[in-house]
Amino acid sequence: MARTRSPLRRVLAASLTVLATAATALVATAGPAAAATTPGIDVSRYQGSINWTSVRNAGIQFAFIKATEGTSYKDPNFNANYVNAYNAGVIRGAYHFARPNISAGSTQANYLASNGGAWSADSRTLPAALDIEGNPYSGGYCYGLSTTAMRNWVQDFLNTYRSRTGRYAVIYTTTSWWNQCTGSWSGPWGNHPLWLARWASAPGTLPAGAPVWSFWQYTSTGAVSGISGNVDRNYWNGDRSRLIALANNTA
């Protein structure tokens, strides 16, 4: 995710690229050329000041924007990015970087919903995303939680976010982290869109039980007009009309 550019993230991404195997289902493996996809990005303060009009003119149609982390951090660029993306015609969504070892899932979901992650049916606001991945801090790859405790934490977050907003949150994760740290839990995928992180030429194998990826972060070194330096690039697995339907909860 755009939160940081740590060596851990790059090592994990490289490992995913080497270890991922091709899924048998076409929907899990289809690259951008095989079906309609919609281009997007995700950003945080690390991208600095963004010219959102240039971003939209470059063909970018959606953006996930970092809002919060844990229980006390709000991205200093979130307010400007969230408003300016909307005004430029970019479909935007907030995301929360999870810290499961410092507070309950409900606490962090409430913090997100109260600090930019709320939702409105305006054709340009997506349900917020829970960014849950390998721990970049101390406390272990799975944040020191058992698979049962991690499932309970995630479910607590998802339930609380839905109670606050009426929407099912998007879940950003990697296949390897999800399968290891939740014990290949398939519970959320019936309702919660998967935002898959895999920096490669194809999505590869999906987390256990996920029938399809909705969003795919396919590189951390993208280039987009209006943004200085690298930016994460993504696809939505469908056309813009379907993305607007997700934004408006009419999909």
Side-chain angles (χ1 to χ4, degrees):
M1 182 58 70
R3 187 197 66 79
T4 183
R5 298 293 173 207
S6 67
L8 173 62
R9 290 293 310 280
R10 296 198 177 279
V11 170
L12 292 175
S15 298
L16 280 172
T17 302
V18 172
L19 296 176
T21 58
T24 56
L26 176 61
V27 72
T29 58
T37 54
T38 302
I41 57 175
D42 63 86
V43 300
S44 71
R45 71 179 180 87
Y46 291 96
Q47 276 65 52
S49 179
I50 296 174
N51 184 326
W52 284 99
T53 298
S54 294
V55 169
R56 182 66 185 92
N57 289 341
I60 297 301
Q61 300 193 43
F62 72 89
F64 278 104
I65 300 168
K66 184 171 185 180
T68 51
E69 177 174 327
T71 57
S72 60
Y73 178 83
K74 182 173 180 179
D75 190 290
N77 289 15
F78 173 76
N79 287 346
N81 281 333
Y82 209 57
V83 171
N84 293 338
Y86 179 95
N87 289 339
V90 176
I91 301 168
R92 83 280 168 83
Y95 77 83
H96 173 82
F97 188 86
R99 301 282 302 278
N101 57 344
I102 66 172
S103 68
S106 58
T107 301
Q108 295 191 33
N110 278 318
Y111 185 65
L112 167 64
S114 297
N115 288 277
W119 173 78
S120 57
D122 54 21
S123 298
R124 294 187 196 171
T125 302
L126 296 166
L130 170 64
D131 173 1
I132 190 156
E133 56 182 284
N135 184 8
Y137 306 111
S138 62
Y141 182 62
C142 297
Y143 298 86
L145 273 63
S146 68
T147 56
T148 298
M150 184 62 75
R151 292 183 188 191
N152 290 340
W153 191 97
V154 171
Q155 192 66 68
D156 191 29
F157 183 102
L158 298 176
N159 288 346
T160 303
Y161 183 79
R162 179 158 170 75
S163 177
R164 284 290 303 270
T165 67
R167 297 303 309 271
Y168 292 107
V170 176
I171 301 173
Y172 169 98
T173 195
T174 67
T175 296
S176 62
W177 185 91
W178 186 266
N179 289 348
Q180 177 177 336
C181 297
T182 74
S184 297
W185 183 36
S186 62
W189 305 127
N191 296 308
H192 297 273
L194 168 62
W195 180 8
L196 179 70
R198 184 173 188 259
W199 302 340
S201 59
T205 304
L206 304 185
V212 64
W213 59 270
S214 294
F215 299 93
W216 168 31
Q217 183 191 77
Y218 63 91
T219 184
S220 65
T221 57
V224 173
S225 178
I227 299 176
S228 299
N230 292 336
V231 63
D232 296 337
R233 294 291 304 263
N234 297 266
Y235 287 111
W236 157 251
N237 196 359
D239 62 20
R240 182 179 174 89
S241 68
R242 297 302 300 162
L243 185 60
I244 292 173
L246 175 64
N248 285 339
N249 202 22
T250 59

